Amino acid sequence: MNAEIKRGSLEMIAAMLISGTIGWFVLMSGQPVINVVFWRCAVGALVLLAICAALGQLRRDSLTRTTLLVAIAGGVALVVNWLLLFAAYSYASISIATAVYNTQPFMLVALGALFLGEKLTLRKLFWLVLAFIGMTLVVLAQPKQAGGQNNYLMGILLSLGAAFFYALMALAAKRLKGTPPHLIALIQVTVGALMLLPMVDFHARANAGQWGMLVTVGVLHTGIMYVLLYGAIQKLPTNLTGSLSFIYPIAAMLVDRLAFGHRLVALQFAGAALILLAAAGMNLLGERRVRLAAAPGGKQAPEQ
């Protein structure tokens, strides 16, 4: 392993571990979801503004009018995604919300087929069916206690909604190739702060510890995490990036188990495992197959 790949791997692992803890910070902040997302955007925007300035990315020629509008649209989708996902934590637990949220690759495949004319292959359909089976198992495992079923299903629906809006954001990102990623992130969180400003409850009580949670979500889980993530993506081959990204759901489930004592029942565990397996198959095996096919004589193509 060369030095660049080793450094990129460490950055990706750190980014995914940070992402896996965000559910704990969101719930422990004790704030309404809109407040959490607003402060994430506002504090994150300040951090990313400093980063973009240091990298020399705040230039007028960095964006065209079209790319700015696409970035703004992606920002709206990203913020709605955060709102839905954070709300889901309180209904279906961090573990279940995170597992269901990982259906996002299939949302992106469907949107790509509908709007970009991308081919829906038998391989993609197989992983889609597998993910659907996993989702069915998760739904069938809903709690038996009074009131638990409606809350559980609401959590699943919120998580699916979050995955859908994340896929919309990813679809927008496909049209922003060549635009500095930190600048895109800055635009997105700035859009989020402005969008949520009229809805924030500035009178919501928060002690020093809760404010610390909100600031951490903005600085660590937004600013620093973006720097680590984009740094890793620039250094790593796509298949390794995809492999390491599954640290995030595993870390989130461990945090949920250790911090809140949430243990998945058999059906939930089986369903979550199938969803993650299908997502891995879609992201990793498909990438390997593409690279093998592109290489002369069927040999693996060199990483770019």
Side-chain angles (χ1 to χ4, degrees):
M1 183 182 291
N2 63 45
E4 184 175 63
I5 290 182
K6 184 176 181 180
R7 181 179 175 184
S9 297
L10 292 174
E11 288 174 341
M12 189 68 183
I13 290 169
M16 294 300 97
L17 288 175
I18 290 170
S19 297
T21 64
I22 193 170
W24 183 80
F25 282 87
V26 169
L27 294 177
M28 295 304 292
S29 72
Q31 295 296 298
V33 170
I34 288 177
N35 283 27
V36 175
V37 178
F38 170 79
W39 289 113
R40 178 181 193 180
C41 290
V43 176
L46 295 176
V47 176
L48 288 166
L49 179 64
I51 292 169
C52 288
L55 295 174
Q57 295 178 350
L58 299 179
R59 303 189 312 272
R60 184 170 295 180
D61 60 349
S62 296
L63 289 169
T64 65
R65 182 177 179 181
T66 300
T67 55
L68 177 60
L69 291 175
V70 173
I72 289 173
V76 172
L78 181 64
V79 171
V80 174
N81 146 74
W82 284 341
L83 289 170
L84 296 175
L85 180 62
F86 292 174
Y89 292 154
S90 298
Y91 288 98
S93 84
I94 294 172
S95 297
I96 292 300
T98 303
V100 175
Y101 183 60
N102 273 271
T103 58
Q104 55 194 254
F106 308 102
M107 305 279 189
L108 187 56
V109 165
L111 290 172
L114 287 173
F115 299 108
L116 300 180
E118 295 180 354
K119 188 176 180 181
L120 194 58
T121 64
L122 288 176
R123 178 187 59 80
K124 290 179 179 179
L125 283 173
F126 170 76
W127 295 121
L128 183 60
V129 170
L130 192 65
F132 179 77
I133 293 171
M135 177 65 58
T136 302
L137 293 177
V138 169
V139 171
L140 290 175
Q142 55 185 297
K144 302 296 184 183
Q145 65 267 28
Q149 293 183 0
N150 291 337
N151 287 342
Y152 185 74
L153 290 176
M154 177 60 73
I156 290 175
L157 290 175
L158 288 169
S159 301
L160 286 171
F164 174 75
F165 278 96
Y166 184 90
L168 287 180
M169 185 278 295
L171 200 65
K174 283 177 175 280
R175 303 177 65 90
L176 295 171
K177 289 183 178 180
T179 306
H182 300 92
L183 184 58
I184 296 173
L186 172 60
I187 294 169
Q188 290 175 336
V189 294
T190 301
V191 167
L194 294 174
M195 186 172 79
L196 297 178
L197 182 60
M199 296 177 276
V200 179
D201 181 7
F202 289 104
H203 300 292
R205 293 185 178 182
N207 56 37
Q210 291 171 326
W211 276 112
M213 298 285 178
L214 294 174
V215 172
T216 300
V217 168
V219 174
L220 180 64
H221 294 88
T222 307
I224 294 175
M225 195 276 289
Y226 269 117
V227 172
L228 291 169
L229 179 61
Y230 289 138
I233 289 172
Q234 291 170 353
K235 298 179 183 71
L236 297 177
T238 306
N239 63 322
L240 187 52
T241 302
S243 299
L244 294 175
S245 69
F246 286 93
I247 293 174
Y248 158 59
I250 294 171
M253 291 177 183
L254 286 175
V255 168
D256 196 26
R257 178 72 180 94
L258 295 173
F260 301 107
H262 292 156
R263 179 182 297 174
L264 298 180
V265 300
L267 276 180
Q268 290 175 326
F269 183 84
L274 285 179
I275 291 170
L276 296 182
L277 175 62
M282 180 73 75
N283 288 331
L284 307 181
L285 300 184
E287 172 63 23
R288 181 174 180 272
R289 185 172 179 177
V290 167
R291 289 188 290 108
L292 286 172
K299 294 180 181 179
Q300 183 169 334
E303 303 293 354
Q304 301 298 317

